[in-house]
Amino acid sequence: SLSSSSNGNATTNRDVVMDMPHPNRLRGRCRKGMYNVCTFRALFHLHLANLDLSVAAAASKRPKNNNNSNDDDDDKMTMAYWTRQLIPAHYQHLIQPQAIPQHSKIFLYEVTQLKPNENENDNDHYQFLQDLQSFLQLEPLSSSSSMHSSPNSHDRNDPPASSSSFQNKNPHQSPMVWFRPGLTHTNDELRRQIEARKIDICAAEYRPIHDELMDIARNASQWMRQWIRRYSSGGVVVTSGKLDAILSHGWSEDPCVERRRNRRRSQRAE
């Protein structure tokens, strides 16, 4: 529904600046008044730990080593070890794995993989689109319903030379849209209120929640990399080496370190 704002602009009933708690109070489980914003929701490895892939992976499991009949036990013990080490003890009771049916698979990706890098030949994104198309068993778009060329008219290993040719060579790019987080507000006053409430997570005031989020990110990165290695031969599908690079660098490295370094360089230059 639509309502009229004080300046006459129409705004949806979602266009409300919520009275959020101080960011440092958003640590732990979500509680009333947090509007489902809390650090608990960043525990991606906890939620993935509730997916039991042992049955789904069995069909494509590597042959057992006759000299070591405990391969399966070793696998389970290894993931159990990483789970004990990297998921907080007070959340361990929430791990109640549900078996994934045999031959079922999970396509795992990080949201930034949906956005191509237009400044260079993004081979990884091109491969990502091809792998996702194959996983979803998408039918090629017909020439009558698309202005793009057929996906069979090029070699999948032949990356585009530019963003325009990339668009032409990938008819399945059009249904895949990367959305920047957050709503686009048309109310000028509301936009000013939102801008005023944005925080710099690298500021000393927010060190408690910054440190907790970085701990979660590093632990989740390490756990998921082990999980992917364990089940990449059956159960988990990833594309190229991009996801591992994102987890090992993008999730494990504190962006505030680089920001502070750049700030010091700018100050010296002045």
Side-chain angles (χ1 to χ4, degrees), residues 1 30 65 84 94 125 142 162 174 211 249 251 259 268:
S1 63
C30 290
N65 186 340
R84 288 193 302 270
L94 298 175
H125 184 71
S142 64
S162 66
S174 51
D211 289 351
H249 299 292
W251 284 41
R259 291 183 191 178
R268 287 197 297 266

Side-chain angles (χ1 to χ4, degrees), residues 14-136:
R14 294 185 300 168
D15 289 346
V16 177
V17 178
M18 298 177 180
D19 186 16
M20 294 291 294
H22 189 279
N24 290 337
R25 295 180 57 192
L26 300 176
R27 292 177 291 163
R29 298 289 295 271
C30 290
R31 299 181 296 278
K32 184 177 181 179
M34 290 184 174
Y35 302 99
N36 290 322
V37 179
C38 59
T39 56
F40 173 78
R41 300 193 67 182
L43 293 163
F44 295 103
H45 52 322
L46 169 63
H47 307 304
L48 289 174
N50 277 309
L51 301 177
D52 182 1
L53 294 172
S54 58
V55 175
S60 54
K61 181 75 176 177
R62 66 182 186 277
K64 288 185 178 181
N65 186 340
N66 294 330
N67 296 327
N68 185 1
S69 60
N70 297 320
D71 281 355
D72 290 336
D73 292 338
D74 289 343
D75 286 351
K76 293 175 183 177
M77 289 175 60
T78 301
M79 282 316 301
Y81 168 80
W82 288 113
T83 296
R84 288 193 302 270
Q85 293 295 313
L86 299 173
I87 295 180
H90 53 282
Y91 291 142
Q92 297 273 334
H93 69 284
L94 298 175
I95 302 175
Q96 300 176 359
Q98 300 295 315
I100 302 300
Q102 187 175 3
H103 302 302
S104 297
K105 293 183 181 295
I106 297 170
F107 190 95
L108 191 65
Y109 65 91
E110 212 261 3
V111 291
T112 56
Q113 291 181 267
L114 293 174
K115 183 180 181 181
N117 186 344
E118 297 180 354
N119 297 324
E120 58 185 40
N121 294 339
D122 197 339
N123 298 355
D124 289 327
H125 184 71
Y126 178 74
Q127 186 65 55
F128 169 80
L129 290 178
Q130 294 290 329
D131 291 343
L132 184 56
Q133 171 185 322
S134 175
F135 180 83
L136 296 176

